[in-house]
Amino acid sequence: MSDHCDLFQTAPPTHASEATVTAPQDLHPLDDASQSAPSAASQHEHTSDAQFSAQPNPLVEFSPPYADEDDEDDFNVCAPRPSTDRSMLYPVRHGTPQGYAPSAFSVSSSATNTPLASRTASPQPFDYSGASSCDSDSDSEPDAHLLPRALRRREGHARHRRWWSLSFGSADGRRYRRWRDAIWGMRTCRRVARRCVRHPLFPKTPVTILLTLLFLTIFGVSLTFLLIYILNPDKDPLPWRGYCTLPQYSGGPPPLLTSTTSWLQTPIQTNFTVPPFPPPEFDTLAPAGVFVGVFTIDTAVERRMYVRSTWAQHVRSREGAGDGDGGVGTSRTIVRFIMGQPRKEWERQVQLEMDTYNDIVVLPMQENMNQGKSHAYFAWAANNSWVPPVYHDDYAKKPEGFSYTNATNPPPPLASHDPALAHQDQLTNASPREWVRPDFVVKADDDAFVMLAELEGRLRVQLYNDPLPPRPPPSVRKQSTARQLPPLLRDDGQPVTLDVTPSGSSSMFAADPTEANPDPLVFWGYLIKNRFMGGEMYALSFALVDWVANDPVVKTMTHGAEDKQTSKWIRMHPRADQVRWASERCWIYDHPRAGTVYSHGFLFPSEVQRVQDVVRHDLEQLAQQTAREASAPDARAVPPGRDVPAPERWARSTVSTFGTRYVPPYPGLSLEHSVEGLVEGSQMSLVREDGALTPGYAWRYREGRRKRYAGQRLGGTVVVHFIKKNMWFLETAAALLHGEDVTAEERGLEQAHAPDSPRGLEDQDEGAGARTLVRRRRGGGAQH
């Protein structure tokens, strides 16, 4: 065994213990004389070295405590560092000659003649040599293998970093520091997470883990609903009954200094007259050309089919109530679907749908909602929107003299829901009449149900309603327009700088070459918070559409909430003070099941007349109360123009309640009865399970369409919005398009020969009893 071990020995075996460390020979400053002739002192030194070698070396036997990789750096900082003083590694022995290094007389020195121990020494490290391989003294580390492994790795890494910085410059050094800081941050996060997991309160059992997850879920849901409530600007139901009674805003752009809820001010109006609709001269006005663009997406195939089969072509949507007008009013109304580029998996289906129905317009952009789709639509409509001409000439007023009436185009391929007169013109004439530019371009959502005859009727009135008000002087016009402008920002966040001098390049205040242009400037829709028209539907006259499509400043303001951006564009118009903002708040509302602040039951003119009577009475009482408070000696007079809060019952609905899920008025209603229960003010909506009014009685004495429209063709709902479910869409179609013009009960009353006949008296008693019961329930203000 000893012969085998001698093969791996590089030096004669010694009697040193395992803790004894051999120092390199080239680090002992000894001369040849001291190595060749041992003296008596060396004999004595051998005895001392033998005793010293029996003691363990504390530096070599030091072992750091257990630590993981994350704690390695902390340990390296706290670990004891080896001293560079030789006296600490090799203590001075007694009798060491002056001028000689203590290591020269150590046990492991090659100059000693001390007998070696029988146990062989450990082999030298692989990278160790007796002589230094480096020419520079600073690069040699004779005590490197005396250090702990972590300290040697740290110092080697430091040498590498210094070499890296010298080779690649300060930029790479900063990059390395950033990388080091990132790693240190990750280790810190892991350390913090480990401490949290090891915390006594951290859940460790399955039961505590489930309870913790349940608590976090409840907390997250509660926080989400709280943020929704805080960020929701619509927290109170709107006084829609007052909107249907008081005159609505119709004039220039609403001043930005006006409160967002201001509409009822002092002095309170009590001696006003609600203008009738339609006006008496309505039938003498030529139909308006209306191009309706319904915004849709590639996957909404089912909703497009619903629109095609209901309000886009239904006779009661295009002709109105009663006997209708034969489709003359909507003979110039066109409906098309607007979408962005379809996705690859939907391209073939959309192409087949376009070839089949001829009613889809694909814009040259990706599908989006608030990233420029509205501006792209108006830019397309300024060049490609066409409507049929006026087919009849027996009108007192026609859209003549406008700049856009001279543009014509051959009729495009017709859709199945296009006007019947357009189909008849192409079938009977070899050369059909050319189409012309529309008077209005309408943007609508596919979750809106539109009554086309009502829409065209209101836009027709706006078309001929004083298209050009008196123009103010240029100086006053510029000052007033500049005062109403909101802070404008481009898509990149930079403010829009406008030059108000005559030589400015901005189209807003530059000299307008079409200053004498008689084109109407109309912006129609639902005015929200006196700031912008709601995005469910709004209409722009063609002159505004052409300006929006070509103005360079507007092209930089296409991103953002599309309805708010459109209102900003209109405020930027060079003739913004002449743009008529026509607001329609009564006949545009959300579906009864939506539960929003804009929701109430399906509305008809008969119910609005009853609502107006109640609101007039409330206005008289409110005016008297305000006058008493102003005349009281200890009360402050309400200054003129101050906003007056509307009574709470003006927001009451017999069908829906804000913030509450809709519940049918009576359980187990049939399909017809449930649709009738969604009509605002109907007897079916007042039926209760614990009441005296039964569903059968309410259905018998319901109102027919002729009575609901007060014998008129128009005057009812224009748009029902927020139809998020297909079932809601079908309910709206059933409520607005179906139903009898005259019910069986109404027909029986009409057929009575004399009011004093037994049948007539019975019908009158039943009718009076039903009306009395309905008035009592309405007075009680029952809600659900």
Side-chain angles (χ1 to χ4, degrees):
M1 176 63 72
S2 61
D3 295 339
H4 177 72
C5 294
D6 293 339
L7 296 176
F8 297 93
Q9 293 179 357
T10 58
T14 63
H15 294 281
S17 63
E18 293 183 359
T20 304
V21 180
T22 304
Q25 297 178 5
D26 58 340
L27 299 180
H28 303 305
L30 301 178
D31 51 7
D32 297 335
S34 61
Q35 295 182 6
S36 58
S39 61
S42 65
Q43 296 290 340
H44 178 73
E45 184 67 19
H46 168 70
T47 306
S48 301
D49 289 343
Q51 297 176 359
F52 177 78
S53 61
Q55 299 178 1
N57 192 333
L59 182 60
V60 177
E61 289 188 351
F62 171 80
S63 61
Y66 170 77
D68 55 10
E69 294 182 358
D70 295 336
D71 298 331
E72 182 178 347
D73 292 343
D74 297 341
F75 167 74
N76 293 339
V77 175
C78 301
R81 298 181 179 273
S83 175
T84 57
D85 190 359
R86 293 295 180 180
S87 62
M88 299 297 294
L89 295 177
Y90 303 99
V92 179
R93 306 319 194 256
H94 295 286
T96 302
Q98 187 175 3
Y100 292 89
S103 60
F105 302 93
S106 110
V107 176
S108 57
S109 176
S110 59
T112 181
N113 295 326
T114 306
L116 301 177
S118 61
R119 183 177 178 180
T120 59
S122 300
Q124 299 289 347
F126 180 79
D127 58 346
Y128 175 80
S129 61
S132 176
S133 62
C134 302
D135 298 336
S136 175
D137 294 338
S138 61
D139 291 340
S140 62
E141 295 187 6
D143 56 347
H145 56 283
L146 296 178
L147 307 179
R149 181 178 61 182
L151 297 179
R152 283 182 289 170
R153 183 184 305 172
R154 184 182 183 91
E155 292 188 1
H157 184 67
R159 289 197 308 273
H160 181 71
R161 185 170 64 251
R162 288 194 298 271
W163 170 80
W164 181 279
S165 301
L166 290 175
S167 300
F168 295 95
S170 59
D172 293 314
R174 287 193 299 269
R175 187 182 301 110
Y176 173 80
R177 286 193 296 271
R178 288 195 297 268
W179 178 253
R180 181 194 59 188
D181 295 341
I183 295 179
W184 186 86
M186 294 173 59
R187 291 180 176 177
T188 302
C189 295
R190 291 172 57 185
R191 190 181 300 112
V192 172
R194 184 180 293 107
R195 291 180 180 178
C196 294
V197 171
R198 294 175 180 175
H199 196 273
L201 298 180
F202 191 84
K204 297 179 177 61
T205 62
V207 176
T208 56
I209 292 175
L210 292 177
L211 292 178
T212 304
L213 293 177
L214 178 62
F215 172 77
L216 293 177
T217 302
I218 296 175
F219 175 77
V221 172
S222 303
L223 182 61
T224 301
F225 280 101
L226 178 62
L227 293 177
I228 292 175
Y229 176 79
I230 294 175
L231 299 178
N232 183 18
D234 302 321
K235 297 182 178 63
D236 299 322
L238 300 178
W240 64 271
R241 295 175 178 267
Y243 295 161
C244 295
T245 305
L246 294 175
Q248 294 301 295
Y249 188 90
S250 181
L256 295 176
L257 300 178
T258 306
S259 173
T260 57
T261 59
S262 173
W263 70 281
L264 182 60
Q265 299 181 353
T266 57
I268 299 176
Q269 303 181 27
T270 56
N271 55 352
F272 61 90
T273 301
V274 180
F277 185 86
E281 69 280 1
F282 181 78
D283 292 333
T284 64
L285 307 177
V290 182
F291 187 92
V292 181
V294 181
F295 279 29
T296 182
I297 59 177
D298 51 9
T299 59
V301 181
E302 189 174 8
R303 181 55 60 93
R304 288 194 292 273
M305 294 302 301
Y306 281 157
V307 172
R308 294 186 183 106
S309 60
T310 54
W311 61 264
Q313 71 172 3
H314 199 277
V315 60
R316 285 181 172 172
S317 174
R318 283 194 167 269
E319 298 183 8
D323 297 334
D325 64 345
V328 176
T330 58
S331 61
R332 305 185 62 209
T333 301
I334 299 298
V335 178
R336 294 292 183 266
F337 297 99
I338 311 298
M339 69 171 62
Q341 292 289 341
R343 287 166 291 184
K344 187 174 182 60
E345 59 270 20
W346 289 91
E347 287 181 356
R348 179 174 175 80
Q349 181 168 346
V350 171
Q351 185 63 43
L352 292 173
E353 191 176 356
M354 293 173 61
D355 296 341
T356 304
Y357 298 102
N358 297 322
D359 59 358
I360 296 180
V361 176
V362 178
L363 300 176
M365 65 181 307
Q366 292 184 352
E367 180 60 44
N368 65 85
M369 182 175 63
N370 296 321
Q371 302 298 323
K373 183 177 180 179
S374 296
H375 185 269
Y377 164 61
F378 290 123
W380 176 91
N383 300 314
N384 302 282
S385 61
W386 304 96
V387 296
V390 179
Y391 290 107
H392 302 282
D393 296 333
D394 53 346
Y395 295 104
K397 291 183 179 180
K398 292 191 299 183
E400 297 177 346
F402 301 150
S403 62
Y404 54 86
T405 55
N406 297 326
T408 59
N409 191 67
L414 296 180
S416 60
H417 49 75
D418 282 344
L421 292 180
H423 282 277
Q424 182 180 356
D425 182 46
Q426 290 198 6
L427 291 176
T428 59
N429 298 328
S431 58
R433 299 181 60 178
E434 292 187 340
W435 287 22
V436 297
R437 291 297 188 192
D439 298 311
F440 293 93
V441 176
V442 179
K443 179 264 173 184
D445 292 337
D446 62 352
D447 63 343
F449 193 97
V450 184
M451 300 293 287
L452 292 179
E454 300 285 353
L455 173 65
E456 188 277 333
R458 282 162 175 79
L459 295 181
R460 188 193 306 186
V461 172
Q462 294 296 331
L463 179 65
Y464 299 103
N465 184 16
D466 297 331
L468 270 183
R471 188 170 179 81
S475 59
V476 177
R477 182 172 66 253
K478 291 177 182 179
Q479 293 176 2
S480 61
T481 306
R483 183 171 56 255
Q484 294 180 2
L485 285 176
L488 303 177
L489 298 176
R490 293 189 174 92
D491 293 341
D492 55 0
Q494 298 297 327
V496 178
T497 58
L498 302 173
D499 189 0
V500 298
T501 60
S503 60
S505 60
S506 173
S507 61
M508 184 181 299
F509 296 107
D512 189 7
T514 62
E515 185 169 343
N517 194 338
D519 294 353
L521 303 176
V522 180
F523 188 24
W524 178 90
Y526 187 105
L527 184 61
I528 298 178
K529 298 183 180 302
N530 297 325
R531 293 294 186 271
F532 59 94
M533 296 295 184
E536 63 270 16
M537 170 174 281
Y538 54 84
L540 300 179
S541 59
F542 189 79
L544 294 178
V545 173
D546 184 68
W547 176 81
V548 166
N550 298 289
D551 187 77
V553 179
V554 172
K555 293 180 180 179
T556 64
M557 302 172 58
T558 59
H559 290 200
E562 56 94 13
D563 46 6
K564 296 181 180 179
Q565 291 297 105
T566 304
S567 299
K568 289 182 180 180
W569 301 340
I570 304 305
R571 291 180 183 271
M572 293 172 52
H573 195 271
R575 294 160 55 191
D577 53 344
Q578 296 187 23
V579 177
R580 187 187 310 117
W581 291 52
S583 176
E584 183 58 71
R585 291 181 176 177
C586 179
W587 301 107
I588 300 178
Y589 51 89
D590 287 353
H591 192 275
R593 293 178 182 269
T596 64
V597 297
Y598 308 97
S599 298
H600 54 73
F602 297 122
L603 201 58
F604 291 93
S606 60
E607 178 64 17
V608 171
Q609 291 180 0
R610 293 186 287 266
V611 166
Q612 291 175 353
D613 295 338
V614 176
V615 172
R616 285 177 181 274
H617 179 70
D618 293 341
L619 286 174
E620 294 177 358
Q621 293 184 347
L622 189 60
Q624 296 175 2
Q625 179 182 357
T626 305
R628 287 194 302 266
E629 293 178 355
S631 60
D634 57 345
R636 297 180 180 179
V638 179
R642 183 177 178 182
D643 300 341
V644 179
E648 294 183 359
R649 69 173 183 172
W650 286 7
R652 185 182 65 86
S653 172
T654 61
V655 177
S656 59
T657 303
F658 171 61
T660 303
R661 184 178 180 181
Y662 174 78
V663 178
Y666 196 89
L669 291 177
S670 64
L671 181 61
E672 293 179 342
H673 292 180
S674 62
V675 173
E676 180 68 17
L678 295 173
V679 177
E680 183 67 34
S682 65
Q683 299 184 30
M684 191 66 69
S685 66
L686 301 175
V687 172
R688 298 295 180 271
E689 188 174 2
D690 55 350
L693 190 61
T694 62
Y697 189 87
W699 177 256
R700 179 181 179 183
Y701 290 100
R702 71 188 186 280
E703 293 180 337
R705 291 180 58 85
R706 186 177 66 181
K707 186 175 182 180
R708 284 179 173 173
Y709 278 89
Q712 299 290 331
R713 185 176 68 88
L714 300 176
T717 297
V718 181
V719 178
V720 178
H721 181 233
F722 209 86
I723 307 178
K724 298 302 182 182
K725 298 182 179 180
N726 293 334
M727 184 190 70
W728 298 3
F729 194 95
L730 296 177
E731 286 178 346
T732 307
L736 299 181
L737 302 179
H738 299 172
E740 300 175 345
D741 288 337
V742 180
T743 63
E745 189 66 23
E746 293 173 346
R747 188 177 296 107
L749 292 175
E750 292 177 355
Q751 292 176 354
H753 299 288
D756 55 350
S757 63
R759 175 62 180 170
L761 293 176
E762 182 181 355
D763 293 339
Q764 290 179 4
D765 293 340
E766 292 181 356
R771 288 191 294 272
T772 302
L773 182 58
V774 169
R775 282 197 298 269
R776 289 178 180 176
R777 296 193 64 85
R778 285 174 180 166
Q783 298 185 20
H784 65 282

